[in-house]
């Protein structure tokens, strides 16, 4: 985010001298075009052909035909008149047909290329490390993946097409004018340069407004994603008003800016049309005078009027197109920044589980989130195959951090993590995650059916295996009571299920995954007593024959653990079995006594 802001500051700084901005974005332009490589020919021929035909066939050549038509009419030359009208229709028909075919072809290549870019972006985002998601607003990322990504499409289609068209039509018109009558041509080009000058006066302020609108749109996406992902919280704390006001404000700002931009465009349009009319009148007067003195004919004057419009178009669009390209490339740049973010480390060579007894070992592990005090401070712990080890201790002590480290969400700073007696580094991240089933405090469910959600544990599982997993997880009964059984859609994040039901679906998923290591992070702390019991039963089944690390808030649930670690301020301050720790009369015993007193009322 900081990086993005800096880039923006740079653009504004450089915005003063248009040429420097263009240089700055040259890399982005080349990169955007590189995605088109597999379809370069179709796209290139399509976009160039379409615009060249539109420019020459429908404008420049048409001007010459106008000339013949007018001269034929003035000179009452019937055969010439008919021939010219026929040619005009033929030209119109052929050009339109070719343009339609070419447009269809190059639009198809744009669609495929955009699909590639979207796919690549989506894949990349999934491989970004956990920390990237914690340090960035999800809306900011969404905005890059939607608003900004769409600007690339605009570049391929409208911006480049517009430039090709304006350049071809402008230059061809200039050449045609000189071929027809050079004194009038000089006069017409002088008018064009005047138009260009007037239009560039506006370009800078358009760029500024566009930048602000882009930023505002990004903020709106952020506000939206805040509201949507935080609905329960927003409702719980009656934050609706605050959020709505924030959103309204940005929305109004953007609307205000858009209105301002529209007003400016309208103003520029009317200036351009006045300039156009003046040019028209000027050419009629100059050309008419020459025609009367037999310096030229009326047909040529007619052709000039048409060509003048083309030159005027090039000059009036030059500024707009430059602004447009800059805006679009700034958007592309934000997408490329995202694509350049480093991803998690890639896998090493395939490796099998060792058959060591030590399933998991942390030795002197140090880890910190960003700057500041370490969240884990030389923490050591060991879990043997088949054991259940509990992590307990005050909130904020670092228990969840241990779990997340074991899942490979973060790399440690120093110390070591070992699985089956081998360094964590020697496994690829997907191998690490394949050998672990993880049940967090609140199950994460995806939009879709119950069956699909269980299947995420093992994409190859059969229907029968899914049902067996659900039965083992105490979930089969309530699933059958759902309106469509296993095929019931559960709503986004399982909003149509209770906490306990969601948790049992997550447990069924873990059953299906059948991983040797099980990480449970306060899996029942969000549940009421009734669902807690059902989930506990399911978990007990799941834990059988596996190596388990259980983070527990309620100490009564860990009394039977093979070993208990008390984690406080990132360190393991006590360890042992329940009875040993009670006898020790330390932190564990104190926490235990407090909870007993609470339970007693
Ligand atoms: N994503 C994060 N970014 C920054 N700090 C974090 C993050 N997650 C946890 N912490 C901090 O790390 C410490 C340990 O947190 P955590 O492992 O969640 O504790 P526990 O699970 O024992 O309650 C706390 O001080 C917490 O504020
Ligand atoms: Mg925690």
């Amino acid at each position: 985010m900081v990086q993005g802001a800096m880039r923006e500051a740079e653009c504004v700084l450089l915005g003063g001298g248009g040429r420097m901005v263009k240089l700055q974005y040259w890399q982005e332009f080349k990169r955007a075009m590189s995605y088109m490589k597999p379809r370069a020919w179709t796209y290139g021929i399509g976009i160039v052909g379409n615009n060249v035909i539109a420019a020459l066939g429908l404008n420049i050549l048409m001007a010459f035909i106008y000339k013949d038509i007018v001269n034929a009419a003035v000179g009452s030359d019937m055969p010439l008149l008919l021939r010219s009208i026929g040619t005009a229709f033929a030209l119109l028909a052929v050009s339109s047909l070719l343009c339609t075919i070419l447009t269809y072809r190059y639009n198809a290549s744009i669609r495929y290329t955009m699909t590639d870019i979207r796919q690549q972006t989506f894949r990349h985002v999934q491989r970004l490390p956990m920390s990237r998601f914690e340090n960035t607003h999800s809306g900011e990322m969404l905005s890059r993946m939607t608003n900004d990504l769409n600007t690339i499409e605009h570049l391929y289609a409208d911006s480049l097409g517009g430039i090709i068209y304006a350049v071809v039509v402008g230059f061809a018109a200039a050449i045609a004018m000189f071929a027809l009558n050079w004194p009038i041509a000089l006069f017409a080009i002088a008018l064009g340069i005047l138009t260009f000058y007037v239009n560039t006066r506006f370009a800078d302020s358009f760029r500024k407004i566009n930048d602000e609108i882009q930023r505002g749109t990004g903020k709106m996406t952020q506000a939206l994603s805040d509201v949507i992902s935080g609905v329960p919280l927003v409702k719980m704390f009656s934050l609706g008003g605050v959020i709505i006001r924030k959103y309204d404000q940005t929305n109004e700002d953007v609307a205000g800016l858009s209105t301002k931009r529209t007003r400016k465009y309208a103003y520029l349009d009317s200036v351009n049309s006045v300039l156009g009319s003046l040019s028209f009148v000027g050419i009629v007067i100059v050309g008419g005078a020459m025609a009367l003195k037999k310096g030229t004919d009326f047909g040529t004057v007619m052709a000039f009027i048409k060509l003048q419009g083309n030159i005027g178009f090039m000059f009036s669009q030059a500024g707009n197109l430059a602004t447009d390209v800059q805006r679009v490339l700034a958007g592309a740049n934000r997408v490329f920044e995202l694509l350049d973010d480093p991803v998690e480390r890639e896998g090493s060579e395939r490796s099998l589980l060792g058959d060591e007894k030590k399933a998991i070992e942390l030795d002197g592990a140090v880890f910190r989130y960003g700057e500041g005090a370490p969240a884990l401070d030389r923490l050591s712990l060991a879990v043997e195959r088949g054991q259940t080890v509990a992590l307990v201790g005050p909130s904020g002590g670092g228990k969840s951090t241990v779990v997340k480290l074991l899942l490979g969400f973060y790399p440690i700073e120093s110390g070591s993590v070992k699985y089956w007696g081998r360094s964590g580094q020697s496994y690829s991240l997907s191998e690490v995650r394949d050998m672990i089933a993880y049940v967090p405090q609140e199950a994460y469910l995806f939009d879709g059916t119950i069956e699909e959600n269980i299947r995420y544990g093992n994409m190859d599982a059969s229907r029968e295996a899914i049902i067996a997993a659900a039965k083992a997880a105490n979930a089969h009964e309530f699933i059958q009571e759902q309106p469509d059984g296993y095929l019931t859609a559960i709503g986004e994040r399982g909003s149509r299920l209770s906490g306990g039901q969601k948790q049992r679906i997550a447990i069924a998923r873990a059953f299906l995954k059948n991983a040797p290591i099980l990480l449970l992070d306060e899996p029942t702390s969000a549940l009421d007593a009734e669902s807690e019991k059902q989930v506990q039963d399911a978990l007990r089944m799941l834990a059988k024959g596996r190596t388990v690390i259980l983070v527990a808030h309620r100490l009564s649930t860990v009394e039977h653990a093979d070993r208990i670690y008390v984690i406080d301020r990132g360190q393991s301050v006590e360890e042992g079995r329940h009875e040993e720790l009670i006898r020790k009369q330390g932190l564990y015993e104190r926490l235990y006594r407090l909870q007993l007193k609470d339970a007693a009322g």
Side-chain angles (χ1 to χ4, degrees):
M1 219 167 150
V2 175
Q3 221 187 349
M6 260 172 60
R7 276 293 197 144
E8 261 160 34
E10 261 170 40
C11 324
V12 176
L13 261 176
L14 294 173
R19 193 165 300 138
M20 288 180 76
V21 177
K22 260 177 246 153
L23 280 182
Q24 195 207 336
Y25 285 128
W26 179 238
Q27 294 303 326
E28 277 75 18
F29 176 73
K30 279 199 298 194
R31 182 152 171 197
M33 295 322 289
S34 72
Y35 289 98
M36 218 14 126
K37 239 185 215 141
R39 292 171 265 278
W41 285 107
T42 322
Y43 172 72
I45 292 174
I47 192 137
V48 173
N50 175 49
N51 286 290
V52 168
I53 291 171
L56 299 184
L58 298 176
N59 287 286
I60 308 300
L61 293 180
M62 222 38 123
F64 285 88
I65 298 174
Y66 279 9
K67 170 180 161 237
D68 285 347
I69 292 178
V70 170
N71 283 341
V74 171
S76 309
D77 184 346
M78 206 51 187
L80 179 62
L81 188 65
L82 287 179
R83 206 166 352 109
S84 309
I85 292 177
T87 317
F89 275 112
L91 186 61
L92 195 67
V94 172
S95 305
S96 308
L97 183 69
L98 281 175
C99 279
T100 310
I101 296 171
L102 289 168
T103 306
Y104 173 78
R105 293 297 304 272
Y106 85 73
N107 271 325
S109 48
I110 291 178
R111 257 196 322 279
Y112 290 127
T113 302
M114 288 310 294
T115 308
D116 285 351
I117 299 179
R118 287 205 178 91
Q119 233 166 40
Q120 193 181 333
T121 314
F122 188 67
R123 298 235 163 91
H124 185 83
V125 166
Q126 286 193 322
R127 287 165 52 216
L128 288 174
M130 212 52 197
S131 53
R132 180 68 167 79
F133 295 93
E134 290 167 350
N135 299 333
T136 329
H137 195 289
S138 62
E140 206 246 2
M141 208 173 278
L142 272 183
S143 184
R144 286 184 197 236
M145 294 174 75
T146 53
N147 303 338
D148 291 334
L149 210 145
N150 290 338
T151 63
I152 299 179
E153 183 161 6
H154 185 81
L155 172 74
Y156 291 147
D158 307 320
S159 308
L160 276 185
I163 290 172
I164 295 171
Y165 178 80
V167 168
V168 173
V169 94
F171 279 99
I175 292 168
M177 280 179 170
F178 278 105
L180 282 169
N181 183 313
W182 70 265
I184 313 183
L186 279 183
F187 176 69
I189 285 173
L191 287 171
I193 291 173
L194 177 68
T195 315
F196 176 67
Y197 175 75
V198 171
N199 277 279
T200 48
R201 308 293 300 170
F202 283 84
D204 238 16
S205 61
F206 278 132
R207 184 168 51 237
K208 276 190 199 119
I209 295 187
N210 282 334
D211 277 355
E212 282 177 57
I213 290 179
Q214 186 81 7
R215 260 195 295 274
T217 318
K219 267 198 216 153
M220 273 164 60
T221 314
Q222 273 185 19
L224 271 182
S225 94
D226 263 352
V227 178
I228 291 168
S229 56
V231 166
L233 201 74
V234 168
K235 284 192 195 305
M236 206 155 35
F237 292 104
S238 311
L239 291 175
V242 182
I243 306 258
I244 286 172
R245 244 172 284 136
K246 218 169 112 186
Y247 183 75
D248 280 354
Q249 188 57 51
T250 322
N251 196 1
E252 273 166 32
D253 290 348
V254 172
L257 286 169
S258 298
T259 317
K260 197 164 143 198
R261 181 171 62 178
T262 313
R263 208 165 45 228
K264 282 200 181 222
Y265 271 124
Y267 182 51
L268 181 61
D269 270 351
S270 54
V271 170
N272 274 331
S273 73
V274 169
L275 281 173
S277 308
L278 286 179
S279 306
F280 173 79
V281 173
I283 286 182
V284 169
I285 292 173
V286 174
M290 285 181 82
L292 286 177
K293 285 200 212 149
K294 300 289 174 215
T296 187
D297 50 59
F298 284 106
T300 305
V301 178
M302 188 61 207
F304 260 95
I305 290 169
K306 172 114 182 93
L307 294 171
Q308 169 61 28
N310 296 142
I311 288 223
F313 178 81
M314 176 179 79
F315 281 119
S316 67
Q317 286 308 297
N320 281 351
L321 285 169
T323 319
D324 181 60
V325 168
Q326 274 165 27
R327 177 181 69 82
V328 164
L329 289 178
N333 180 39
R334 282 187 287 268
V335 177
F336 298 151
E337 267 177 11
L338 182 64
L339 283 173
D340 289 341
D341 263 349
V343 295
E344 288 184 316
R345 73 184 162 84
E346 292 294 330
S348 57
E349 80 285 10
R350 276 245 139 246
S351 42
L352 299 164
L353 298 185
D355 60 352
E356 311 290 320
K357 252 184 93 187
K358 293 247 162 67
I360 293 172
E361 239 181 333
L362 276 185
D363 191 16
V366 177
F367 169 75
R368 59 190 95 215
Y369 295 97
E371 308 289 299
L376 295 188
D377 185 6
R378 284 160 293 158
L379 184 98
S380 302
L381 58 84
V383 188
E384 283 177 21
R385 178 190 286 263
Q387 274 191 335
T388 293
V389 159
L391 307 184
V392 301
S395 159
K399 304 180 293 295
S400 298
T401 305
V402 171
V403 170
K404 287 189 271 182
L405 280 184
L406 290 176
L407 283 164
F409 283 178
Y410 311 105
I412 52 170
E413 198 174 295
S414 60
S416 69
V417 184
K418 286 186 188 157
Y419 305 90
W420 312 108
R422 280 184 31 201
S423 155
Q425 291 295 323
S426 67
Y427 297 90
S428 75
L429 282 174
S430 53
E431 282 173 316
V432 167
R433 288 166 196 165
D434 279 348
M435 62 186 168
I436 297 175
Y438 166 54
V439 180
Q441 188 171 358
E442 280 186 46
Y444 194 97
L445 300 186
F446 291 96
D447 193 17
T449 64
I450 292 178
E451 183 174 316
E452 278 164 3
N453 266 286
I454 298 178
R455 180 166 287 131
Y456 287 123
N458 174 4
M459 294 311 283
D460 305 322
S462 66
R463 188 87 203 268
E464 290 68 40
I466 288 175
I467 293 175
K471 279 185 178 155
N474 259 345
H476 182 66
E477 267 176 44
F478 87 79
I479 293 175
Q480 280 196 315
E481 285 162 15
Q482 300 295 311
D484 297 313
Y486 279 82
L487 300 180
T488 308
I490 55 171
E492 200 178 329
R493 296 194 191 180
S495 53
R496 261 167 253 151
L497 297 173
S498 79
Q501 291 172 333
K502 278 193 267 189
Q503 207 59 318
R504 277 178 281 160
I505 288 182
I507 292 170
R509 195 190 274 168
F511 264 113
L512 206 59
K513 183 163 180 178
N514 197 18
I517 297 175
L518 185 58
L519 300 182
L520 307 170
D521 193 354
E522 311 202 7
T524 59
S525 63
L527 307 179
D528 56 88
E530 165 76 18
S531 8
E532 172 161 14
K533 197 189 160 306
Q534 289 168 319
V535 171
Q536 292 281 15
D537 289 346
L539 284 173
R540 208 165 301 126
M541 293 286 293
L542 181 60
K544 263 189 202 143
R546 291 177 222 271
T547 306
V548 183
I549 292 190
L550 163 68
V551 176
H553 68 301
R554 225 142 26 73
L555 302 188
S556 57
T557 55
V558 305
E559 281 172 19
H560 302 294
D562 294 305
R563 198 175 194 74
I564 300 169
Y565 287 89
V566 184
I567 313 274
D568 188 19
R569 285 178 224 162
Q571 291 178 318
S572 161
V573 293
E574 285 172 18
E575 61 175 278
R577 294 185 62 90
H578 174 76
E579 302 78 32
E580 292 166 6
L581 291 176
I582 291 289
R583 266 199 307 274
K584 209 170 177 183
Q585 304 240 322
L587 179 57
Y588 181 83
E589 191 265 351
R590 216 161 49 240
L591 291 172
Y592 189 74
R593 227 172 345 108
L594 272 175
Q595 286 192 357
L596 276 189
K597 224 179 354 188
D598 272 355

